[in-house]
C-alpha cells in the first residue's frame, strides 16, 4: 500500500507540532538531558529520563523508585555500593515533602523545630538520618521522571548535597516529592541512613 504524499506531509507536520508543544509545555530541561561530566573527583551518570518516559502522571512509588535508580547510578559510577529503599525512611521523606508543600516553607526543620532525625524517630525509626531537600518554582502540576532527574542533577552539582549522595556509610534511602497545586512549587526530599 502506498501513502499519498499529502497524507505523509500532514502527519509529519502534526508530529513536529506535537514535539514543539511538548518542548514549550515541559521545557527543554525536562525533555532533553545532558547531565554534564561531573567534577574533578566525581562523575555523574547519563540521563535516564527522556522524552519517551518523562510525561507527567507518574505515581509516588514510580517516582521514588526512579529517584533510587538515579542515586544508585551515581553512587556506583563513583565506586560506592548501591542503597536500598527503606519504607520508613521513604515515609519520612514523603511526609516532609508534603508538609513543605502544604505549609509553604523550605527547610530541613519544620516550623515547630523538628529535625529530619526527629521526624524519623517520631515515626518509629532508630538513629539519625541525613537529608537533601530541593524545590522548584512554577513546575508542572503533575509529577514526572523529568523533574526527578533535574533535581538529582542539581543535587549532584552541589557540594554539600553530593556529600550525602556519595557518603559510603549510608546503606538505606527514602524519597518524597510533592507539589503545591496553587503555587505549583515542587518539593523533593532525599533521606539517607
Amino acid at each position: 500500500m502506498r501513502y499519498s504524499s499529502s497524507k505523509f506531509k500532514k502527519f509529519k507536520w502534526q508530529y513536529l507540532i506535537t514535539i514543539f508543544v511538548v518542548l514549550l509545555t515541559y521545557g527543554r530541561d525536562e525533555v532533553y538531558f545532558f547531565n554534564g561530566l561531573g567534577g574533578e573527583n566525581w562523575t555523574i551518570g547519563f540521563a535516564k529520563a527522556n522524552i519517551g518516559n518523562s510525561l507527567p502522571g507518574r505515581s509516588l512509588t514510580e517516582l521514588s523508585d526512579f529517584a533510587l535508580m538515579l542515586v544508585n547510578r551515581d553512587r556506583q559510577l563513583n565506586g560506592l555500593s548501591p542503597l536500598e529503599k527503606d519504607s520508613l525512611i521513604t515515609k519520612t521523606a514523603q511526609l516532609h515533602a508534603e508538609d513543605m508543600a502544604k505549609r509553604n516553607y523550605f527547610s530541613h526543620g519544620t516550623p515547630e523545630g523538628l529535625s529530619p532525625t526527629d521526624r524519623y524517630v517520631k515515626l518509629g525509626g532508630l538513629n539519625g538520618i541525613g537529608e537533601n531537600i530541593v524545590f522548584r518554582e512554577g513546575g508542572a502540576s503533575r509529577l514526572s521522571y523529568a523533574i526527578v532527574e533535574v533535581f538529582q542533577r542539581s543535587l549532584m552539582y552541589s557540594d554539600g548535597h553530593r556529600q550525602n549522595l556519595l557518603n559510603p556509610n549510608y546503606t538505606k534511602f527514602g524519597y518524597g516529592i510533592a507539589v503545591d497545586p496553587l503555587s505549583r512549587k515542587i518539593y523533593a526530599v532525599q533521606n539517607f541512613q
Side-chain angles (χ1 to χ4, degrees), residues 15-73:
Y15 180 73
L16 291 174
I17 289 169
T18 301
I19 290 174
F20 182 72
V21 168
V22 168
L23 287 172
L24 282 178
T25 304
Y26 300 108
R28 189 182 80 81
D29 280 345
E30 295 188 16
V31 177
Y32 170 78
F33 292 97
F34 175 63
N35 284 338
L37 302 174
E40 188 174 321
N41 298 314
W42 62 276
T43 189
I44 187 171
F46 292 111
K48 298 286 186 186
N50 58 55
I51 195 166
N53 69 9
S54 290
L55 295 178
R58 298 290 180 172
S59 72
L60 292 177
T61 300
E62 289 174 311
L63 295 168
S64 179
D65 290 346
F66 188 71
L68 177 61
M69 181 178 65
L70 297 179
V71 168
N72 284 336
R73 169 200 69 190

Side-chain angles (χ1 to χ4, degrees), residues 7 15 27 39 44 51 55 63-65 88 96 103-104 111 114 124 131 136 142 145 158-159 173 186:
K7 285 184 180 178
Y15 180 73
I44 187 171
I51 195 166
L55 295 178
L63 295 168
S64 179
D65 290 346
L88 187 59
H96 188 52
R103 298 199 291 167
N104 194 28
L114 295 176
E131 181 173 82
R136 180 175 181 175
R142 293 175 52 197
Y145 287 165
S158 166
D159 291 337
F173 178 76
I186 301 171

Side-chain angles (χ1 to χ4, degrees), residues 83 129-132 164-165 170 172-173 190-193:
L83 302 178
I129 58 173
E131 181 173 82
N132 287 338
N164 273 339
L165 285 160
Y170 290 143
K172 299 176 186 176
F173 178 76
Q190 296 177 331
N191 283 147
F192 308 88
Q193 188 178 53

